[in-house]
Amino acid sequence: MSLPVIDLSRSRTASGLDAVAAEIDAACRDVGFFYVVGHGVSTELQTRVEELAREFFAMAEPDKSDIAMRHGGRAWRGWFPLDGELTSGVPDNKEGLYFGEELSADDPRVRAGLPLHGANLFPRRPAGLRDAVLEYMAAVTAVGHRLLASISRALGLDDRWFERNLTASPTVLFRIFQYPPLVDASERWSVGEHTDYGLLTVLAQDTTGGLEVRSPDGWVAAPPIADAFVVNLGDMLERMTAGRYRSTPHRVRNVSARPRLSFPLFFDPAWDADVLPVPDASWDAERASGQARRWDGLNVHDWTGTYGDYLLAKVAKVFPALIGDVMPTS
Ligand code: OGA
Ligand code: NI
């Protein structure tokens, strides 16, 4: 089994839009993972981000520590070293950079002290990283909006339904990971099995490979395809579609001899959005009961709240040492 590849460049015509929506619908119901090509993000920009990231990770630890996450405070940004994050309860074998929407100190959300909102921590070197990351986040966020327009159509809603109700001001987190080769692959994951939290993850990866997806027929690889992003659905989309779409478990194992770079952008509901099922969502009883076997023991269909609540609870689990900086004190 291999994951579908969907060409977004067809969305310029009405019939193309319908075809894209139908393919996305099938992929979302089936495995919850697909590739997109024809997305309009330039290869030059992707290559620039990749080269600058490689340069950053190659620097000495004290230099990288200038932007360590502990300096990011509530905004929850910056660099974290190997073993710094526990996605599925054990330390991941990765180091990474955390970015988000660039907000100045006088933004009302920052003034109000909202966790995960604020300015990014950009390194002094390599000098171009700041501009490249901001440009990349803007370009891939636009892809997120386009994908959700197709998903709206696929669900029988008008194309702007998600934008009106959830993503006029999306929560966007962008991360750059470097996964060292696993020394003993039988013992450790680069990242253990998990699902993503929000709506869509749009991921670029270098040529190394190592991402694996849990399909109905077992684990399948999501190897790199030139100029394609890997897209997968998060917990909120599964909840909103009452199980029609799947927040699919995945994991990473870098068994190659070199470090692997990946670039996931998480395109998620607005922080204060109440995440409710879409109109006419038809409940998928089989999938809903399958929730009991979820990797984290949670049932996203039972949960209610704002996306910010959901995300903070997750952050508390994966970055236990940092949560004192991030959580509201009241
Ligand atoms: C994630 C994730 C996969 C990868 O960050 O949630 O699953 O290939 N990343 O880095
Ligand atoms: Ni993930």
Side-chain angles (χ1 to χ4, degrees):
M1 145 151 205
S2 59
L3 304 175
V5 180
I6 300 176
D7 181 0
L8 295 187
S9 67
R10 290 168 301 162
S11 27
R12 283 186 208 101
T13 63
S15 63
L17 275 172
D18 284 338
V20 168
E23 286 174 27
I24 288 183
D25 187 54
C28 293
R29 297 171 73 162
D30 217 17
V31 65
F33 259 81
F34 53 95
Y35 293 91
V36 294
V37 294
H39 45 66
V41 180
S42 81
T43 315
E44 181 279 324
L45 177 58
Q46 295 185 60
T47 310
R48 183 151 43 100
V49 172
E50 182 177 330
E51 283 171 359
L52 290 164
R54 243 177 247 294
E55 236 178 280
F56 175 83
F57 288 124
M59 295 196 314
E61 183 131 356
D63 293 332
K64 294 191 271 193
S65 291
D66 283 350
I67 59 158
M69 285 186 91
R70 64 175 180 279
H71 303 307
R74 286 165 105 79
W76 200 47
R77 311 289 165 92
W79 173 72
F80 64 89
L82 274 183
D83 296 339
E85 180 167 359
L86 294 74
T87 299
S88 51
V90 293
D92 300 336
N93 201 3
K94 72 183 185 206
E95 66 175 304
L97 283 165
Y98 244 83
F99 303 103
E101 190 183 356
E102 177 74 359
L103 297 177
S104 65
D106 58 10
D107 185 282
R109 292 165 289 179
V110 180
R111 289 167 73 126
L114 276 192
L116 275 63
H117 290 69
N120 287 295
L121 296 181
F122 289 112
R124 273 180 299 126
R125 287 182 302 124
L129 190 70
R130 176 182 197 281
D131 289 354
V133 162
L134 291 175
E135 202 182 318
Y136 184 89
M137 280 198 291
V140 180
T141 298
V143 175
H145 281 292
R146 277 172 71 195
L147 287 169
L148 269 188
S150 290
I151 286 175
S152 298
R153 184 176 286 229
L155 292 169
L157 305 165
D158 73 88
D159 285 3
R160 303 202 53 192
W161 191 90
F162 273 91
E163 199 178 323
R164 264 201 325 279
N165 289 285
L166 277 187
T167 56
S169 176
T171 302
V172 173
L173 301 176
F174 174 51
R175 318 169 78 180
I176 303 180
F177 294 132
Q178 173 163 271
Y179 300 95
L182 288 175
V183 180
D184 180 352
S186 66
E187 277 181 28
R188 247 186 122 190
W189 296 99
S190 303
V191 176
E193 174 178 350
H194 68 282
T195 54
D196 294 346
Y197 314 146
L199 294 170
L200 294 175
T201 305
V202 184
L203 175 130
Q205 56 181 327
D206 72 5
T207 56
T208 309
L211 176 59
E212 296 175 2
V213 176
R214 200 167 77 187
S215 82
D217 309 326
W219 289 97
V220 296
I225 295 183
D227 247 337
F229 292 122
V230 178
V231 176
N232 65 284
L233 314 184
D235 296 342
M236 294 302 106
L237 216 40
E238 171 154 342
R239 168 171 168 71
M240 294 187 71
T241 62
R244 175 185 177 96
Y245 289 172
R246 298 163 52 86
S247 175
T248 305
H250 50 283
R251 63 189 186 190
V252 177
R253 193 158 49 160
N254 179 14
V255 291
S256 83
R258 56 178 173 151
R260 168 179 187 262
L261 287 191
S262 76
F263 306 83
L265 182 134
F266 302 92
F267 183 91
D268 294 346
W271 183 263
D272 57 2
D274 253 319
V275 184
L276 300 169
V278 299
D280 303 326
S282 53
W283 185 259
D284 184 326
E286 191 193 337
R287 279 198 183 138
S289 66
Q291 284 293 320
R293 296 190 304 275
R294 232 177 95 111
W295 64 283
D296 57 0
L298 293 181
N299 182 335
V300 287
H301 305 286
D302 282 348
W303 166 87
T304 53
T306 63
Y307 184 60
D309 292 339
Y310 190 77
L311 187 53
L312 269 189
K314 291 290 189 180
V315 169
K317 289 218 169 68
V318 300
F319 277 107
L322 279 172
I323 198 64
D325 297 335
V326 170
M327 281 296 207
T329 46
S330 56

